[in-house]
Amino acid sequence: MKNNFPGKVAVITGSARGIGKAIAIELAKQGVSIVLNGRNQQRLLKTETELKKITENVIAVCTDVSDASASQNLIKAAIDKFGKLDILINNVGVSMRGTMAELNPDVYRKVFESNVLGAVNPTIPAIPFLRKTKGSIVYISSLAGIRGLPGLSAYCSSKMALRAIAESIRLEEKKHDIHVGLIQVGITEIEHNKETVSADGSLMVLQPRDKAKVQTTEQVALATIKNIKKRKFITTLTAIGKLNYFMQARFPMLVEKIILKNLHKFEEKSK
Ligand SMILES: NC(=O)c1ccc[n+]([C@@H]2O[C@H](COP(=O)([O-])OP(=O)(O)OC[C@H]3O[C@@H](n4cnc5c(N)ncnc54)[C@H](OP(=O)(O)O)[C@@H]3O)[C@@H](O)[C@H]2O)c1
């Protein structure tokens, strides 16, 4: 795929709100035709109406990407409407709270269905179309995918799985010139009522975040677009994220010591 965006077609999973919606808006501003996705039809249609103020070339597909055949329908809808696919952003993901000792095993099922199967299911049917356009597959990961963190084992391992998946596809699709990117996102602003999976497997609403201390969804969206334009592999966001990535690769035991010293902060956050 060439670097100029006008005329390109993008599917963004989980784009009714949050980071996915911000990516859809920024891509639409750059002339890309957009396929929105989410499970809640009302929220999705509201976002579609907002996007239509930027571009007429937008459709909304209400499907759950943790389901393989629903994901096939998502890619088919993009092809039926726009005739091709240039960019697939696998953005769907849910976090969790709780140490391994206190987890209901269902937490792992929920997190992996959403974060891993939800990223693999759309990728498989998209590959034949992305080969034709020499397009991009991007995985929205997290700084939590750099190393295992206390109280976040299911989330960290699901995001680490995305790295392995991305590495495999990069090698497999090199001959077809598909770009594969991985965005390691830091703590970002969240929308009202964003949920996480609690230790007992139920969904709980997250507390609002201090906007001064976190990235905006627009910053994440612009970094994602830069990753696609430059056809980069890994983009790591925030200064602390870059430091963490560097330190974990070179001094993993030092990082472990620092985390152990600050364990109380992780315990506070997981409440
Ligand atoms: N926010 C952060 O601080 C942060 C930090 C690091 C990484 N990330 C990563 O960034 C990504 C987006 O996070 P976010 O904070 O923007 O999330 P969010 O506000 O909860 O938005 C998630 C979006 O995905 C949709 N969705 C969820 N499950 C789905 C499914 N199975 N099928 C289809 N759509 C689904 C949701 O709509 P419906 O509920 O209507 O389906 C919603 O539109 C995630 O992968 C997350 O792990 C976020």
Side-chain angles (χ1 to χ4, degrees):
M1 190 183 66
K2 298 264 164 55
N3 284 350
N4 52 330
F5 271 12
K8 304 294 177 200
V9 178
V11 171
I12 305 118
T13 70
S15 42
R17 69 176 182 188
I19 291 169
K21 177 179 170 182
I23 294 171
I25 289 172
E26 293 305 325
L27 285 172
K29 283 183 189 166
Q30 299 197 26
V32 177
S33 300
I34 302 294
V35 180
L36 295 168
N37 161 253
R39 296 161 302 177
N40 179 316
Q41 184 146 28
Q42 215 183 342
R43 186 156 53 211
L44 191 60
L45 293 181
K46 196 165 160 263
T47 302
E48 186 188 23
T49 306
E50 280 181 53
L51 262 283
K52 284 220 157 127
K53 290 176 190 155
I54 306 171
T55 176
E56 266 307 301
N57 295 327
V58 54
I59 57 167
V61 183
C62 190
T63 51
D64 182 340
V65 292
S66 63
D67 180 275
S69 67
S71 297
Q72 271 186 341
N73 290 340
L74 172 64
I75 301 304
K76 185 176 178 305
I79 301 302
D80 288 350
K81 173 71 182 174
F82 298 116
K84 63 168 184 158
L85 180 64
D86 300 281
I87 301 166
L88 170 65
I89 314 260
N90 288 294
N91 166 71
V92 161
V94 67
S95 187
M96 45 70 67
R97 299 286 183 271
T99 63
M100 187 65 87
E102 62 196 10
L103 286 189
N104 178 324
D106 212 35
V107 172
Y108 263 81
R109 185 186 60 74
K110 283 190 173 150
V111 171
F112 271 67
E113 275 182 0
S114 165
N115 301 10
V116 181
L117 294 181
V120 169
N121 289 335
T123 299
I124 295 170
I127 285 176
F129 299 104
L130 292 168
R131 283 179 179 170
K132 288 184 191 163
T133 56
K134 303 191 188 309
S136 286
I137 308 172
V138 175
Y139 295 93
I140 303 298
S141 185
S142 164
L143 300 185
I146 294 172
R147 64 154 297 131
L149 297 169
L152 286 169
S153 65
Y155 186 61
C156 293
S157 53
S158 72
K159 293 301 190 184
M160 282 188 184
L162 291 186
R163 172 153 180 170
I165 289 164
E167 284 176 346
S168 294
I169 302 173
R170 277 172 70 81
L171 297 170
E172 291 165 3
E173 295 302 320
K174 186 81 184 162
K175 58 183 173 295
H176 297 289
D177 213 7
I178 293 181
H179 158 245
V180 183
L182 183 80
I183 317 295
Q184 302 191 138
V185 178
I187 300 178
T188 305
E189 62 181 339
I190 52 172
E191 297 217 13
H192 177 62
N193 279 346
K194 177 179 155 78
E195 290 170 324
T196 189
V197 184
S198 57
D200 65 7
S202 64
L203 290 175
M204 76 181 192
V205 173
L206 286 169
Q207 296 294 318
R209 290 175 181 167
D210 180 350
K211 288 201 172 184
K213 292 187 181 163
V214 300
Q215 285 213 299
T216 63
T217 54
E218 189 190 357
Q219 284 173 311
V220 178
L222 292 173
T224 303
I225 289 174
K226 196 169 166 190
N227 172 287
I228 297 169
K229 285 189 170 167
K230 292 188 174 285
R231 294 177 83 82
K232 260 188 84 175
F233 180 27
I234 296 178
T235 295
T236 304
L237 297 183
T238 75
I240 201 98
K242 288 180 175 58
L243 180 66
N244 185 13
Y245 191 43
F246 173 84
M247 294 287 288
Q248 175 61 25
R250 284 161 183 83
F251 312 106
M253 296 320 290
L254 178 61
V255 175
E256 183 167 298
K257 268 189 190 158
I258 294 168
I259 293 173
L260 278 172
K261 255 192 143 176
N262 292 282
L263 208 50
H264 60 284
K265 289 188 187 161
F266 286 90
E267 284 164 356
E268 274 303 306
K269 272 193 188 148
S270 67
K271 280 179 192 161

